[in-house]
Structures are given as structure tokens and as C-alpha cells.
Amino acid sequence: MMHRFYCPHPDSGRLDPSESHHARSVLRVKAGDRCTVFDGRGKELQAEVTEVGKHQLCFSVVSSHQSKPLPFSIHLVQALTKGRSWSLILEKSTELGVSSISPVLSDRSVTRIGAEDTVKHEKWRQEIITACKQSGRNYLPRLSPVTRIEKLTDPSLTQYTPKFIASLQPDALPLKLALERVMESELQQDITIAVGPEGDFSPAELGQFRAMGYQPVSLGPNVLRAETAAIYLCAVLFYEMQHRFA
């Protein structure tokens, strides 16, 4: 498989300094090598490396095509988790095709950062880019700034979008039944899922989600770790939606 590189402006014919450094110093790319370049908006190029400088890699386009977007969208609202758990959620949800990721601060979140923490946000964005490069995905998921639950807004999360929240509450609807109800209704192209942190959302936070139209769903008899719950939900929904729109 050819190396894949992210380039938001492929018409420039060069990678940014970070990607160029990785190509030169880590992957040992040389002039004349072939590679794949994608812009995160569906365009993928087959390219030939023409120059490898200290801070810049230049390429010429051999061929290009525009990938079709998925006919459905999965939006992940995820409470911040700590360390490797958060990186795993970003990586695997990207591989599984989510359209957007909205990090939220929860009462039980161990990690505490604000929307103004651009360093962390950029690090997360780079992890998403890496997951796209690895998985062959040509569309970058949208990563929203960190926010509180009560300030959670997104133009894609309308009142008509089915919204689920993973819950340990005894009245939570089994996920299978919740999905059957959605699939039996009008053709839905967007689904939103919310997953709590270690220790789950607090009862007050669950009440906030309910007020916003989220249906509590059970993921089975076992208590799953936050990252397991997120990956499980993304995988199940992607499977169901992919078959729905096949």
C-alpha cells in the first residue's frame, strides 16, 4: 500500500511542514516515489513526489477522484475521558465512519480542559487525521470545541434527528429495540449518540439529555468502559445504517 498524506490544499502541490517531516524523516520518502494525498473533503490524488526538502515535500498529480460521502451521518457526543481511552475513542470512531465528534465536560470527567485549549484540540485533530490516513477514509470528521452539556448545540443535531444516550438506568430501552423503532419510521439519515465518562453521566446530566430528546438505551447486561461503549455504539450504528442505505 502506498503512503497516504493529508493535504487540505492539494492544488498547492506540497505537503505542510509536519507531513513533509514525517514523510522525509520517518517514512524515508524520496523523489520519484508514488503516494496518495487526500484533502479531508473527499478528494483523493495519486501523486508522484518531485522534491523532498528539509521542510517541504512537493508532488505532481498523476490522477484524482472525488469520493462520494456516506448517505448517512453518525454524530458522537462523548464525555471527556482520560489518557489512552480518549485517543482510542477518537481513533476508532473515525475508522468507523462518524461524521462529527462533540467532546463534552461531565461532572465525572477526570480530564478538565476548556474550549480555549487549542493545543489539546490540535493534538486530537492530528489523531483523527492519522486514523483517516490509516483507514483510507477521505472525509475528516468534524471535531467540535469542548463544551458543557447545557451548551451543547450543533446545527446537525436537530429535533428530528434520533438521539440515543448509553445508560445504565433500569428504564433504558434495549438498543436493538430502539434501532428497530428508528428503522421502522421515516427514512433517517442522521443519528446522534451520547456516551458518558468513567462512572457514567450523573442523574442530573442524564435529565439534561432527556430534556434535549435523547432516548436512554441499554448496551446489555455488562457494564462497559467508556471507550468500549463508544466503539460498540459506533460499530452497531454503522452496520445498521450501511445496510439501510445499501
Side-chain angles (χ1 to χ4, degrees):
M1 181 183 293
M2 288 189 292
H3 296 306
R4 279 172 54 84
F5 299 106
Y6 171 62
C7 181
H9 304 292
D11 291 342
S12 67
R14 59 180 181 271
L15 302 182
D16 67 23
S18 175
E19 284 286 79
S20 295
H21 172 77
H22 182 70
R24 180 179 66 86
S25 302
V26 179
L27 301 177
R28 305 298 181 184
V29 171
K30 298 178 177 61
D33 288 351
R34 292 290 182 94
C35 63
T36 301
V37 177
F38 70 103
D39 68 354
R41 299 181 299 279
K43 180 182 286 188
E44 181 182 86
L45 313 174
Q46 299 304 311
E48 181 175 315
V49 178
T50 57
E51 179 185 342
V52 181
K54 186 175 182 180
H55 301 293
Q56 181 174 279
L57 181 147
C58 298
F59 59 86
S60 61
V61 177
V62 177
S63 62
S64 68
H65 80 276
Q66 181 72 29
S67 303
K68 290 183 179 180
L70 290 171
F72 57 87
S73 299
I74 299 171
H75 308 284
L76 174 62
V77 175
Q78 175 66 54
L80 287 175
T81 60
K82 59 183 178 181
R84 177 57 185 158
S85 170
W86 181 252
S87 295
L88 195 63
I89 290 170
L90 293 177
E91 176 185 308
K92 300 307 178 186
S93 63
T94 297
E95 290 179 17
L96 288 165
V98 298
S99 298
S100 68
I101 303 170
S102 299
V104 294
L105 279 172
S106 167
D107 293 340
R108 295 171 179 169
S109 292
V110 176
T111 302
R112 291 288 171 184
I113 76 163
E116 70 284 352
D117 194 332
T118 55
V119 174
K120 276 284 179 64
H121 193 273
E122 180 57 28
K123 177 179 179 292
W124 297 345
R125 183 173 171 275
Q126 289 302 320
E127 290 177 327
I128 288 173
I129 291 172
T130 298
C132 284
K133 289 162 67 174
Q134 183 277 324
S135 63
R137 181 175 176 179
N138 289 327
Y139 286 90
L140 285 182
R142 182 175 62 257
L143 177 64
S144 300
V146 177
T147 188
R148 300 289 306 184
I149 294 170
E150 61 270 18
K151 295 181 179 179
L152 186 63
T153 58
D154 191 310
S156 64
L157 312 184
T158 69
Q159 59 178 323
Y160 304 108
T161 302
K163 296 185 279 287
F164 300 138
I165 178 170
S167 175
L168 300 174
Q169 299 296 314
D171 63 341
L173 199 65
L175 178 60
K176 184 175 186 297
L177 181 56
L179 284 174
E180 285 175 353
R181 291 182 179 179
V182 168
M183 297 305 173
E184 289 172 358
S185 63
E186 294 182 8
L187 196 63
Q188 297 289 352
Q189 294 179 289
D190 298 89
I191 291 184
T192 301
I193 51 176
V195 180
E198 299 89 346
D200 204 4
F201 290 117
S202 69
E205 290 172 331
L206 184 57
Q208 287 179 296
F209 277 106
R210 284 179 182 268
M212 289 187 286
Y214 283 77
Q215 166 68 56
V217 294
S218 169
L219 306 187
N222 299 333
V223 178
L224 306 180
R225 296 176 66 92
E227 64 271 27
T228 308
I231 295 168
Y232 173 79
L233 268 171
C234 289
V236 169
L237 287 176
F238 188 84
Y239 174 83
E240 292 288 346
M241 298 291 276
Q242 190 175 37
H243 279 267
R244 180 69 183 270
F245 289 93

